[in-house]
Each structure stands twice: as C-alpha cells, then as structure tokens.
Amino acid sequence: MTALAEKKTQTWPADPSARRAHALRQLEAIAPRLEAAVQEGQQQGRMADDAVAALRETGILAIMTPDDLGGNVVNPPTAFEIVERIGYIDPSTAWTAAILLEGAGQLATQLDPQQAAVVFRDRIPLKAGSLRPGKAVRAEGGFTISGTWDFVSGVHHADYVSASFLVEGSDGETERRMAFIPLKDVSIEDTWQVLGMKATGSTSFTVENAFVPDSMVFNPLGAVRRSDTPLARLGMVPYVLQMHMGNVLGAARRAVDEIVRMAPTKRRGSRINLGASISLAESSWFQRELGELDAATRAARALALEATRKVNDRLESGGVVDLELLDLMQTASSHAGKTAQHVITRAFRHAGAEAIIETGVLPRLLRDINTILAHGVLGEIGFELHGEYVLGVQTPENRRMI
C-alpha cells in the first residue's frame, strides 16, 4: 500500500441539513481530482492514490464513523447522495469508496470501544473484506488464520482486511466469524483481470498463519459491541443497498448528460447518407427517447430517495428497519440497477463511433453497469422477493438473503 499524506478530518456542521450541504460542497471541490484520476485507475486496476487522498482529506471516507472517533456521520439520504455524486464521476471510485468507508464503520461497530479508540487514534482506518471462509485454528487468546480471500474491493487502500472463517458454536452448529487483520500481515494477489469495474481493485489477498487476538475477532451475525453507529442502527443489507443504488443512478445520470452533450453535433449515418443533415438534437425520435430516459432516471431516483428517507424517519424515531422497509430498499435497489442498465445501454447506442473508444465515458459506463449487475444485491431477484412480499408469503424468517 502506498503511504498517503492525510490532513485531519475537517469538523463538519452538527445540523444534518448543514452537514449534507457541507459534504456535497466537499465533493464538488474535489470532483476535478476524482475525474482526473479515472484513467489512472482504469490502467492500474485500482483506484488512483490521489483519488483516495482527496476522499480522505475531505472527510468523505468518514461518513459511517461516529464523530467521537474522528468521523462525521451522515443520514441515509445524504449517504445515498454522496455516493451518487461519486458514481456520476466514476462507478469504480464510488464502489471502492463505499466499501472502504463502510469498513471503517464496521471497525467502529464491532470493536470494543477501548480497542476502537486505539485503532482510530491516528486516522480513520479503512477496511476491505471478503465473505469466503478461510481456515482458522484456535490459539491462546485468539486464532491463527490462513487462506485466500477473493473479490476484496479496495484492498490496496485499506488499513485492515476482514477475513471470514467458520467455527463450531456452543450448540454444535457451524458459525461464521470474521477477523480484522492489519494489511501488513497479508499478501495482495494480482487476480483482478475483468471486463468492467476495473479500478475497484477487487483482487484477492492471502494470509499465512497470522495470529489474530480475540479482541479483533467478531461474529458478523451476532450482537455488536457498539450499537449507536450508523451501521449498527441501519443494518448491513440496507447500508449496502443505499450505497450501491446511489452509485448506479449517478452513472445513469452521467450517461444521459453525455448523450445530451453529443446530440447537437451528432449526425448518425451521415457518412453513408449524405442527406442526413439533421442532428440527433433535431430528430423527434431521439427527443422522444431522451425524454423517456431522463424520466426513467428521475423516477428510479425518486423511489431510491423515498426508501432512504423512510428508513431515516424510522431510525430517527427510534425504530428499526423492518421487513417492509427492507423490501422497499431492495426493490428500489433492483429497480435502480435495471433502470441504469437500460439508460446507459441506450445512450451508448446513440453515441455512434464515439462509443467504441476504450477510454470514453459511455463505454466505461456500459462495462461497469453490466459488471455491477453481476452482484446479487442489485440483481433482478429483488423483484422476485418483492413479489413474495406483495403476495404476503414472505416473513422475516423465510426471506432469502441476496
């Protein structure tokens, strides 16, 4: 991992509305840096160091970390908007940022408060992880961990990784555990050769006989050690949903804006048909489709915001994310993914020769959205789950995990 100079996290306003405005201003200020780093990230297969530095310096990577640990917590709608804005610039950057800042929130949630105070002492620690189980042997005061874990987005920029393993519980049943391991104790593999989302660096890491004390091991399905963090209050699945649907809808909006930019000068078929002098912007059939694409993007965003706002209202009233809200979040997420894929694909088709240039925005968005949709959390199975919920055949006990 390249060492990065870091400014101390800025003090953000306490009022949620002022904090939201501050966060979006911070993003606008670093947007040129994030945009300038996109191609470097594509070429090296992981987010560029300056993009990480910019997100650290502004405090964006601390939005799931409690304020008393140096963070600046934001509510679900604001988190959605933050990732949406980054996704507009680059889905890989948004995906990686979401993983890393969630990892910091997980450290804050799962570590004993005294241990967290040590881990968060110098800066916000970022964490990447994998759910694939490795091997662990019980040792005095902890576990000795070995194995290889894959699909670890953001691992090059993490301070810690979480490695999953299985143990026998007190009732004889197999239970999952996760170990927080410093990055210096792992070896990063070069396995991320993919079609899209290239700059997420979602490669593998290997651990060989690393001792992890019990204070750095937790049960991801058990009771948390700190219950007042955003991650503890929201829950892992709703957290992931709000972030990823923000990412894909930001990408969809970028695709619409790109084709709007091209439309006044784009004349499809003019090299063959010399009479094709009407630009896309002047063509009624294009105007109609553009209107549909814009409306679809706005509608999907409205549903996403409705979901995150209802979740926020529930949390602020002291409630929890129940089956109804979980279904709404999942439905909004699946709808966001399907809508973004349609919008980006149609924009790509209208762009003509410009769409096949490898370094162009639209071909990158096309590769990325189809790669993102390979992830179950944004897949169409969400509509199947919603159908079960609408029919009344779904309960908290039988709802399937995506």
Side-chain angles (χ1 to χ4, degrees):
M1 178 180 68
T2 303
L4 298 174
E6 181 188 5
K7 299 177 183 177
K8 289 294 183 181
T9 301
Q10 300 178 14
T11 301
W12 287 21
D15 176 74
S17 295
R19 182 164 283 202
R20 169 188 175 274
H22 178 82
L24 296 179
R25 284 196 301 270
Q26 294 298 303
L27 272 177
E28 288 308 308
I30 64 170
R33 290 174 66 182
L34 298 181
E35 191 80 58
V38 169
Q39 288 307 319
E40 180 182 347
Q42 293 287 304
Q43 292 165 7
Q44 66 184 15
R46 61 183 178 88
M47 190 159 59
D49 287 346
D50 190 58
V52 181
L55 291 166
R56 271 195 178 277
E57 291 164 10
T58 54
I60 297 298
L61 293 182
I63 63 171
M64 291 295 285
T65 297
D67 289 26
D68 62 84
L69 289 175
N72 27 255
V73 168
V74 299
N75 60 30
T78 299
F80 165 85
E81 289 184 280
I82 287 171
V83 177
E84 179 188 35
R85 181 65 186 93
I86 304 173
Y88 181 93
I89 297 169
D90 178 45
S92 286
T93 302
W95 184 280
T96 308
I99 294 294
L100 292 174
L101 65 88
E102 178 272 328
Q106 191 176 61
L107 285 165
T109 300
Q110 297 290 357
L111 289 178
D112 176 89
Q114 291 184 331
Q115 182 73 21
V118 174
V119 171
F120 283 79
R121 180 176 53 206
D122 298 324
R123 70 173 187 173
I124 302 298
L126 306 178
K127 194 273 299 178
S130 171
L131 294 176
R132 180 185 294 276
K135 298 178 181 179
V137 177
R138 198 62 165 117
E140 181 70 25
F143 291 88
T144 300
I145 310 292
S146 298
T148 297
W149 289 261
D150 55 7
F151 294 102
V152 192
S153 303
V155 64
H156 299 88
H157 304 292
D159 301 293
Y160 291 86
V161 297
S162 57
S164 178
F165 61 94
L166 303 177
V167 299
E168 183 177 325
S170 57
D171 58 358
E173 296 293 323
T174 298
E175 296 181 356
R176 185 182 296 272
R177 294 289 185 274
M178 297 192 85
F180 292 129
I181 305 173
L183 195 69
K184 63 180 180 60
D185 294 337
V186 313
S187 298
I188 299 176
E189 310 293 341
D190 182 18
T191 60
W192 190 240
Q193 310 297 327
V194 290
L195 172 69
M197 300 297 282
K198 295 180 179 181
T200 61
S202 303
T203 189
S204 306
F205 69 83
T206 297
V207 177
E208 294 184 6
N209 298 318
F211 174 74
V212 181
D214 286 328
S215 61
M216 298 293 283
V217 176
F218 68 98
N219 178 355
L221 300 179
V224 296
R225 288 170 172 154
R226 178 171 177 170
S227 61
D228 65 336
T229 69
L231 195 58
R233 295 179 65 218
L234 186 61
M236 178 66 73
V237 173
Y239 162 79
V240 171
L241 294 174
Q242 68 175 354
M243 292 296 187
H244 290 338
M245 65 186 175
N247 186 0
V248 297
L249 290 174
R253 175 50 57 191
R254 179 65 179 273
V256 171
D257 288 353
E258 285 294 307
I259 197 63
V260 168
R261 174 185 61 79
M262 298 177 190
T265 58
K266 178 69 63 177
R267 289 173 169 78
R268 298 299 307 275
S270 59
R271 295 189 181 186
I272 298 173
N273 180 8
L274 298 180
S277 58
I278 298 178
S279 68
L280 285 182
E282 299 170 296
S283 303
S284 61
W285 60 268
F286 174 78
Q287 294 165 356
R288 181 170 56 252
E289 176 154 42
L290 177 63
E292 291 176 357
L293 297 179
D294 181 70
T297 303
R298 290 173 183 269
R301 185 176 191 270
L303 180 60
L305 280 173
E306 176 190 351
T308 57
R309 287 168 178 162
K310 284 186 175 181
V311 166
N312 187 59
D313 291 344
R314 179 70 58 81
L315 295 179
E316 288 191 345
S317 67
V320 297
V321 178
D322 59 9
L323 184 62
E324 178 185 11
L325 285 183
L326 182 59
D327 175 73
L328 179 59
M329 290 286 284
Q330 180 60 68
T331 304
S333 183
S334 293
H335 184 60
K338 186 171 184 177
T339 299
Q341 184 185 44
H342 172 69
V343 169
I344 292 169
T345 301
R346 294 308 302 166
F348 175 87
R349 292 293 300 272
H350 288 308
E354 187 171 340
I356 66 172
I357 300 173
E358 186 174 4
T359 57
V361 172
L362 284 174
R364 171 165 53 84
L365 294 179
L366 187 71
R367 294 192 300 268
D368 287 352
I369 189 59
N370 283 284
T371 302
I372 288 173
L373 291 187
H375 196 291
V377 77
L378 285 157
E380 293 193 9
I381 190 175
F383 296 120
E384 183 178 333
L385 296 178
H386 182 53
E388 291 178 355
Y389 177 80
V390 171
L391 290 168
V393 298
Q394 187 181 102
T395 68
E397 292 71 31
N398 70 16
R399 182 180 172 89
R400 292 165 288 164
M401 293 289 290
I402 290 185

